[in-house]
Amino acid sequence: MDRHPFDDLDLERLRQRRSLKWRAYPPDVLPCWVAEMDFPLAEPIAAVLGEMVGSADTGYAAFDGLAEAFAGFSSRRYGVEVDPALCYPLQDIMRGVLLALEVLTEPGAGVVVCPPVYPPFFSTIAYAGRRVVEAPLAVDDAGRYTLDIEALERAFADGATAFLLCNPHNPVGRAWLAAELLDVAALAERYSVVVLADEVHGPLTYADARHTPFASLDTPAAGRSVTFVSASKAFNTPGLKCAMLVAGSDSVLDRFADIPQEVPFGASIFGVAANVAAFRDGGKWLDSTLAYLGRNRDRLAELLAERLPDVRWSAPDATYLAWLDCRGANLGDDPAAQLLEHGRVALYPGQAFGTGGRGFARLNLATSTALVDEAVDRIATAVSTVELSGR
């Protein structure tokens, strides 16, 4: 197998980073938890940021070209045309979700989520003064997750007015099929539910799957929807702060007309520049990165089969996240705590993702293949230690 530049990631240099991933745990812990990449920045992003720092270009953000860059990316990557006039700049995805909940739903409204799901969904809905309504994902015999359409209908029929959709889904890695999303759209139309689609992981869909943006469906529900997008996950720029809300129609965008201008100015000038560079010029880097992540995904499958047969998983269609079912490994409800204590490897605790998360942990694959191997070594050590101790 040809050597890839990402194979040369140096652990000691990574430990010098100031980001949350590398500062949250002591230096003897291998951090594989939060969704940050260890890879170098795409050259177009690094170049524009360097130019801006060199010219002291650190003022308030202008949004010239941002919507157009994403529209071009969507057309090339997904075959979906996006009207730049329907794009609204934001600080980040979850600030956009909070804004949409405040604008498009009433206080106390029920908002449906499909756990196990991204933990900030729960806290953001609560902070907005809305109610979390769960429609947990279903799981087939092979461990592959699906949307539970019957559970969604029950939640919608009981009066929920919004559905916070994770597409592709974090942490299980499903890129929902068009047929699944059409089922959701039919229910949303029947019960007048607005779909809020977090699609930040869309660019991280592997070649053997397809990302279908909810707004691309030819249904009334798509026209009433709101989608949240950013280069932050696919190009590792979350700290630069920039995302966009894409309204499904002019009438939806009009609902945001009275929002103070301070809201879009929460996006940083560096974040805007990075998103433009990523969406406009980052395709080659993204293709190479996805190929490398696919290699790590395959490597993890081999290692789990060889060394940890009691840990189950379903390989993701998208994201660089592996959702590990550790229930057969006797690590208890919080395997991440056991792995940290006995293996000095940090995974994201499964119970943080809500219903269906106990006994699971989430592993980040966006690192060198050698560090994926190291993570599995540490997990295997922890499992052996727990078995020997009889816990």
Side-chain angles (χ1 to χ4, degrees):
M1 184 179 295
D2 293 338
R3 189 163 183 82
H4 191 283
F6 294 168
D7 288 328
D8 296 326
L9 291 176
D10 180 76
L11 183 57
E12 293 310 309
R13 288 196 65 186
L14 290 171
R15 292 195 189 284
Q16 296 172 18
R17 290 187 174 184
R18 294 175 173 84
S19 69
L20 179 64
K21 178 179 180 180
W22 291 97
R23 293 298 175 101
Y25 291 96
D28 66 320
V29 173
L30 182 65
C32 304
W33 63 293
V34 74
E36 293 182 17
M37 289 180 171
D38 293 341
F39 306 142
L41 280 176
E43 194 282 331
I45 297 175
V48 72
L49 294 179
E51 291 171 4
M52 293 171 68
V53 171
S55 61
D57 189 4
T58 56
Y60 291 109
F63 304 111
D64 300 349
L66 176 61
E68 291 77 10
F70 175 71
F73 179 87
S74 177
S75 179
R76 294 188 304 273
R77 207 83 190 178
Y78 312 139
V80 173
E81 301 304 318
V82 171
D83 182 355
L86 295 177
C87 298
Y88 184 92
L90 299 164
Q91 177 179 347
D92 55 35
I93 297 288
M94 292 314 301
R95 187 59 61 93
V97 170
L98 177 62
L99 177 67
L101 289 173
E102 291 173 339
V103 170
L104 300 176
T105 70
E106 297 297 324
V111 181
V112 180
V113 297
C114 295
V117 73
Y118 185 50
F121 278 15
F122 301 100
S123 56
T124 300
I125 292 169
Y127 184 77
R130 277 61 175 172
R131 294 181 295 106
V132 173
V133 179
E134 294 194 0
L137 298 176
V139 190
D140 64 21
D141 292 339
R144 187 165 174 81
Y145 286 84
T146 62
L147 292 167
D148 189 332
I149 297 301
E150 292 182 358
L152 282 172
E153 180 161 21
R154 287 193 297 271
F156 294 175
D158 285 344
T161 59
F163 175 33
L164 185 47
L165 170 70
C166 199
N167 177 39
H169 194 93
N170 173 10
V172 308
R174 277 296 314 280
W176 304 118
L177 301 175
E180 293 173 296
L181 295 176
L182 284 169
D183 287 341
V184 171
L187 291 178
E189 292 161 21
R190 185 181 309 162
Y191 294 100
S192 299
V193 169
V194 61
V195 176
L196 311 177
D198 174 1
E199 300 193 356
V200 70
H201 289 280
L204 289 166
T205 302
Y206 296 102
D208 54 4
R210 180 182 179 85
H211 171 55
T212 301
F214 185 83
S216 70
L217 303 177
D218 186 17
T219 68
R224 297 176 57 243
S225 69
V226 168
T227 302
F228 306 97
V229 299
S230 176
S232 60
K233 291 302 178 190
F235 293 89
N236 201 42
T237 60
L240 297 182
K241 292 300 177 188
C242 177
M244 282 192 297
L245 176 157
V246 184
S249 62
D250 290 329
S251 61
V252 173
L253 186 64
D254 287 346
R255 300 283 298 275
F256 295 86
D258 295 331
I259 299 300
Q261 69 173 358
E262 287 77 12
V263 172
F265 279 111
S268 82
I269 192 170
F270 294 120
V272 173
N275 271 254
V276 171
F279 287 137
R280 188 182 60 200
D281 302 318
K284 183 177 179 181
W285 182 93
L286 181 58
D287 287 340
S288 177
T289 298
L290 279 170
Y292 192 83
L293 290 170
R295 191 172 91 180
N296 281 355
R297 181 181 63 163
D298 294 344
R299 178 61 176 161
L300 180 63
E302 295 172 2
L303 291 171
L304 291 178
E306 293 170 3
R307 304 197 57 192
L308 292 162
D310 292 329
V311 175
R312 301 183 61 196
W313 80 317
S314 179
D317 303 323
T319 80
Y320 49 75
L321 307 168
W323 184 237
L324 302 182
D325 181 354
C326 303
R327 291 173 295 180
N330 298 315
L331 296 177
D333 286 345
D334 186 6
Q338 299 277 24
L339 299 178
L340 180 61
E341 179 181 356
H342 299 291
R344 307 308 287 163
V345 56
L347 276 63
Y348 211 117
Q351 66 269 30
F353 296 85
T355 299
R358 292 187 183 277
F360 287 75
R362 195 189 73 179
L363 171 69
N364 181 342
L365 295 172
T367 190
S368 69
T369 303
L371 288 178
V372 172
D373 288 0
E374 173 68 16
V376 174
D377 285 344
R378 292 181 181 224
I379 293 170
T381 295
V383 170
S384 297
T385 301
V386 171
E387 287 176 348
L388 290 173
S389 69
R391 291 192 182 184

